[in-house]
Amino acid sequence: MIKVEDNNSLLRNDVKKLGNILGDILKQHGGEELFNIVEGIRETTKDLRKNYNEVSYDKLKKEIHELQSPTRQHVIRAFSIYFHLVNIAEQNHRIRRARQYQLEDDGVIQPISIESAVTTMKANNHSDEVIQQIINDLSIELIITAHPTEATKRTVLEIQKRISSILQEFDNPMLTKKERKHLDGSLVNEVTALWQTDELRHRKPTVLDEVKNGIYYFDQTLFDVLPDIHSELEEQLDNYYPTNTWEVPNFLSFGSWIGGDRDGNPFVTPEVTWETLKLQRALALKKYDEHLVDLMKRFSQSTTRISFSDDFIQSVEEEEKTYLKKGEAWPVKTEMYRRKFAVMLKRVRQVGKSKSGYNNSEELIDDLLMIQKSTKDHQPSDNKLKTLNKLIRQVQLFGFHLATLDIRNHSGEHETAISEILKVVNITDNYPSFSEEEKLKVLEKVLQDPRPLMLLNEDYTKETQEIFDNFKLIKQAHDEFGPRSIEVYLVSMTQSASDLLEVLVLAKEAGIYRLHADGTVESGLHVAPLLETVNDLIAGPEIMKTLFKMDVYRNHIHERGDHQEIMLGYSDGSKDGGTLTANWKLFKAQQEIHDMAKEFNIALKFFHGRGGSLGRGGGPLNRSILSQPVETLGDGVKITEQGEVLSSRYLLKDIAYRNLEQAASALISASSKVWNHASDEGFFRDQAWEDAMEEISQNSLDKYQSLVFGDEDFLTYFKQTTPLEELRELNIGSRPMSRKGSEKFEDLRAIPWVFAWTQCRQMLPAWFAAGTGLHSFASKDEGNLVMLQDMYQKWPFFQSTINNLQMALMTADMQTAKEYMTLVEDKSIADRIFGEIQEEYNKTKDVLLKISGNEELLDHTPNIQESIHRRNPYVDPLNFLQVDLIQSMRESDEKSEERLTDVLLTISGVAAGLVNTG
C-alpha cells in the first residue's frame, strides 16, 4: 500500500527527481557555467524568501540584469520548465492521494466523492421517491471555451502527459530493478524532449486550431470519464440501497463555445461553425467505431452454445440484406452478435455519407439496447455487461454531435440587422431610436405574424446577411447533426427585453421558430441573456419579468419545456465593480430571478461564465457549485471551463474523474440538504448576513471605482506597469484583445485585463477593494466581526468568497510587484497608485485572517499553501527578467525579436508558475 500520510514527502521526492534531471540537462546543454548560474539564482531567491536581505536582493537583481543572450533565455527556460515539471508532480500526487483512499478499509470514505454524497442522502433519511427525484433533478453542464486559450502548446501537453504516466508507474510496488531502470531512462528522455521543444507558438491559432484543441480533451479523457461518473453513481446507489432499482439520468455533460462564439471574433464565420460541427461528429463516430470493433471481439457467443430469439435473428438477417453488400457480412453465421455488430459498424461508417448510415444517434441506441435485451437471456442476472452499458451511455451523452455547441453574439449586432430588415420592408426606418416599449410592440407584432419578414431577393448589407446566414446555419445543423447540436443562442450585453426578442425574430426568419396559422408554435432554440456588468445584473430580474409577461415569449418558453437559461458573466462585472461586489450582485441576481420565475412556473438554468483565474470567478469546480444560492441548485448548473483549466483538469483521466466526481458530489449533497429544509427559509442564510453583504458590497464598490474610474492616471499606470502591450504578441488565442480594436478601458476584454495584472503579481482584479468593504463593516460595531466569522463558518457563499480572496493575496506578491513600478514613466503616479494598492493589500490580509481565524493565509488548505510557497522563489527571477526586458524594449527605438521572444518566454513561465493565464 502506498503511504501518503507522511505529509507530502513523496511529492517532494518527485519534484527533487525531476529537478535533478533538469539540472543534468542544463549541464549537458550549457555546461557547468549555465547550471551554476541557474542554481545560484535559485538558492538566492529561496534564501530571500526565508530571510529578506536588501543587499542580497539588489545583488540578485544586478546579476539578472547583467545576463546576456543566449544565457538569459536559457535561464528563463530553466525556471519555466521547472514549473511545468512541478505542475506534473503535483497532479500526480493528487492522483496518488485519491488512490490511497481506494486502498483503505471499507469504512474509510473519500471526502467529496460520489460515495460520500450517497451516504449523505442515506443520513438524511430520504424516501426512495425523494432520492430518485434528487437524482432526476441533477444537471451539470460544463462548457469548454477557447479564451484565453491554453497558453501551453499541445506538443508540450503531450510530453507532460507522458511524464505523468511515467511518474505513476514508479508507484507500482511490483516493479523490478530492470523496469525501474527503464522508467528512469524514459523520464530523462521526456524531460530532455521538453527542454528541446519550442514552447512558444509562432502564429496565432485559427478558430479551427482551437476547435481541435478542445476536441482533444474529448478524445483523451472526457469520452471515457463521463460515463464512468454515471456508472459510479449507479454502483454506489446499488451498494447502499441493494433492494432498489435506480434510474440514473444523463446528468453530467459537456458543451462547447469554440467555433460558435462570434462575439468580438470576426473569424467565427458560419463556414467555420459548420466545419466545427463536422469535426465534432467525426470524433464521435470514430469513438463509436472503435468501441463497436471492441465489442465485436468480445461478443463471440454462438447459436451452438446459446439460444437467440427468433425476432433477433430475423432482424439481423433483414438488416444484412438492407445495409450490407456482398462480402461485408460477418462470415460465421452462428455468431449472431458479431453479425449484428458488422451491420452497425457499416451504418456508423456511413453516417452523413449515404442513406445506409444511421439517421440519428437514437437509432444506434435502439440497436445497442436490442443487444442488451438479448444478453439478459443468457447473462448472469447479477453481473452487468459494463463495456456494452458504457457504450450505450456514451451514445446517450455524445450523440452524433459530441458536444452541444452554443452560439453567442453581441446584442448590438442583432439590433443593427433587425433595424435594416424593418427599414427594407417599410415598417420603420428609425428602430434604434425607439423607446424600449416601442421596440417590444414592433417585435411582438412581427412574431405574431406567421408570414416571413425578410424579402428573398433584397440585397442586405454584408453584416446583416452574415447575421442571417448564422441563423440559417443553425437550422441546417438541426437537420444534419440533430437538434442537440445547437440548443442555445446567447446574447452578449443583454440590457433589455428587446435584445432577446430580436433574436427570436431572426430565428423565425430562418424557420427555427415558427408560428402556424392555427396559432401553435414551434421553437427549436433557447434564447439566453448574458448579464455581464453590475448594472445589467441589477436590471436582470426586471428584464426577464417583462419577457415572461409577454404571451409571444411565454409561448416560445412553453415549447422549450418551460425552461429558461440565463448566463451570468463574472469577468466584466468584476472589471466593472470589483470582485467582491460582482460576486454579491451575481448571487442576488440569481435569488431574485429564481424567485420571480417560480411565480410563472418556469424552470431556470443559470449559466456561470467563470474564467480560470480568481479575478474572473475561478476556483475549484465543486466550491463554485456550493457557493451559489442553494435554492437554485435544483434548476441545474452550467459553468464554463476556460483556458488552462482544460489541461489542469482534463488532460489526465484520473484528474478529470476526480474533478467531475467532486462536482457531482457537491451538487448531490447540497440538493439532499435542500430537500430536508425545503420549507425552511432561514436554513438558506440569515437575513442579517444578506444585509451585511449589501453594506460591504457598496463600500467595496465605492473604493474600487474611486481608483479604477476616479483616478485619471489609473489607466496610464495599468498600461505601463503591466506587460499588457507585450501580451498582444503572445499567440494564445484567435480573438482580438479588445472589442472593435479600441483602446478604451470599457472595450478591453476582461481576459487580458486579468492576465496583465497576474503577470506583474499585483493580482488586482482578484482582491482589490474587498478589504475596505470587509474592514469598514467589521470595525463599525464590535459584534460585526463575530457575525462575519459566523458567516464564514456557516455560509458556503461567504466562505468561498473569503477563501478565494486568501488565495489571491497568497498568489500576489507586493515585493515583486514593486519592481514593476519602474516601468511607469511618471514616478509620482507609480508611487501614489502603488501605495494605495499596497495599503489595501495589507488591510485585506488583516481582515481576512481575523474572519477566517487563520494565523497565515490558507492555513485551512496546507497543500495549496505549500504549493505556493514551493513556487514563489522560482517565479521571482522570471518577474525580475520580465521587468528588465520590458524596460529595455520600451526604451529602445529598434525592435528586437530576440528580446521580444525572451519577454514572451517569461510571460509563459510566470503563467506556468502561477498556474493560470487569465
Side-chain angles (χ1 to χ4, degrees), residues 160-268:
Q160 291 176 359
K161 190 174 181 181
R162 292 195 294 271
I163 293 172
S164 178
S165 296
I166 294 168
L167 288 178
Q168 288 181 53
E169 287 188 62
F170 273 117
D171 283 341
N172 182 357
M174 300 298 291
L175 282 176
T176 64
K177 289 182 180 180
K178 184 176 180 181
E179 288 170 333
R180 283 190 175 277
K181 186 176 180 181
H182 175 76
L183 287 175
D184 282 329
S186 297
L187 192 59
V188 170
N189 289 341
E190 293 298 346
V191 178
T192 302
L194 189 61
W195 173 261
Q196 295 173 353
T197 299
D198 189 349
E199 57 268 74
L200 294 179
R201 293 186 178 94
H202 293 283
R203 65 171 179 84
K204 279 190 176 291
T206 66
V207 177
L208 289 178
D209 287 335
E210 293 174 334
V211 169
K212 291 169 186 173
N213 287 339
I215 289 175
Y216 171 79
Y217 295 99
F218 286 88
D219 188 17
Q220 295 295 307
T221 58
L222 297 177
F223 206 84
D224 286 321
V225 169
L226 259 65
D228 289 347
I229 294 291
H230 291 83
S231 176
E232 173 68 5
L233 180 54
E234 288 174 335
E235 288 183 20
Q236 293 302 336
L237 286 168
D238 287 343
N239 288 342
Y240 283 89
Y241 302 92
T243 60
N244 295 56
T245 301
W246 303 100
E247 293 292 330
V248 174
N250 301 308
F251 68 90
L252 176 62
S253 63
F254 269 76
S256 177
W257 272 15
I258 313 175
D261 182 10
R262 291 173 52 85
D263 181 21
N265 193 338
F267 306 112
V268 181

Side-chain angles (χ1 to χ4, degrees), residues 59-69 71-72 881 884:
K59 183 182 177 183
L60 174 65
K61 287 199 298 179
K62 183 174 183 293
E63 182 180 347
I64 286 174
H65 176 74
E66 291 174 351
L67 289 174
Q68 297 296 312
S69 178
T71 302
R72 180 179 60 228
L881 281 158
D884 203 59

Side-chain angles (χ1 to χ4, degrees), residues 99-158:
R99 289 184 180 278
Q100 172 67 19
Y101 277 103
Q102 295 166 22
L103 291 168
E104 293 286 357
D105 297 333
D106 291 342
V108 179
I109 299 174
Q110 184 171 16
I112 326 176
S113 62
I114 287 176
E115 183 178 7
S116 73
V118 173
T119 60
T120 296
M121 287 196 291
K122 197 167 182 69
N124 285 329
N125 295 315
H126 295 308
S127 67
D128 295 350
E129 292 75 16
V130 167
I131 291 173
Q132 187 62 62
Q133 189 59 54
I134 290 171
I135 296 166
N136 290 344
D137 289 344
L138 292 177
S139 177
I140 304 173
E141 190 176 358
L142 302 171
I143 307 298
I144 63 172
T145 73
H147 56 284
T149 299
E150 172 61 61
T152 309
K153 283 170 59 178
R154 169 91 69 83
T155 303
V156 174
L157 290 176
E158 290 282 7

Side-chain angles (χ1 to χ4, degrees), residues 556-626:
H556 150 71
I557 286 287
H558 184 68
E559 284 303 302
R560 299 302 299 166
D562 288 317
H563 176 97
Q564 174 68 55
E565 186 169 304
I566 295 172
M567 184 170 183
L568 305 169
Y570 286 67
S571 304
D572 285 290
S574 180
K575 176 170 164 267
D576 184 42
T579 184
L580 192 146
T581 298
N583 277 282
W584 177 241
K585 296 302 180 187
L586 285 158
F587 189 94
K588 290 294 290 181
Q590 290 176 75
Q591 275 185 304
E592 292 170 14
I593 295 172
H594 171 86
D595 292 344
M596 181 267 297
K598 277 177 67 176
E599 297 173 15
F600 293 89
N601 293 315
I602 292 172
L604 295 177
K605 176 181 277 190
F606 286 109
F607 181 7
H608 303 274
R610 294 174 174 270
S613 60
L614 294 170
R616 300 181 52 240
L621 184 56
N622 60 302
R623 291 181 197 163
S624 298
I625 291 171
L626 291 175

Side-chain angles (χ1 to χ4, degrees), residues 263-329:
D263 181 21
N265 193 338
F267 306 112
V268 181
T269 62
E271 293 76 20
V272 165
T273 303
W274 188 260
E275 189 61 31
T276 298
L277 293 168
K278 285 171 62 179
L279 287 169
Q280 290 186 174
R281 179 171 69 181
L283 178 62
L285 295 175
K286 170 178 165 283
K287 288 291 189 180
Y288 299 148
D289 191 305
E290 292 171 356
H291 284 71
L292 287 171
V293 169
D294 178 55
L295 286 171
M296 181 184 275
K297 293 175 182 176
R298 294 169 183 267
F299 280 63
S300 56
Q301 290 89 339
S302 170
T303 55
T304 63
R305 294 288 180 265
I306 62 170
S307 296
F308 287 84
S309 70
D310 292 339
D311 288 344
F312 188 91
I313 294 171
Q314 184 180 347
S315 170
V316 172
E317 289 174 347
E318 288 177 356
E319 287 179 336
E320 286 177 334
K321 293 175 185 175
T322 304
Y323 298 112
L324 301 184
K325 296 177 183 177
K326 187 176 180 180
E328 291 181 337

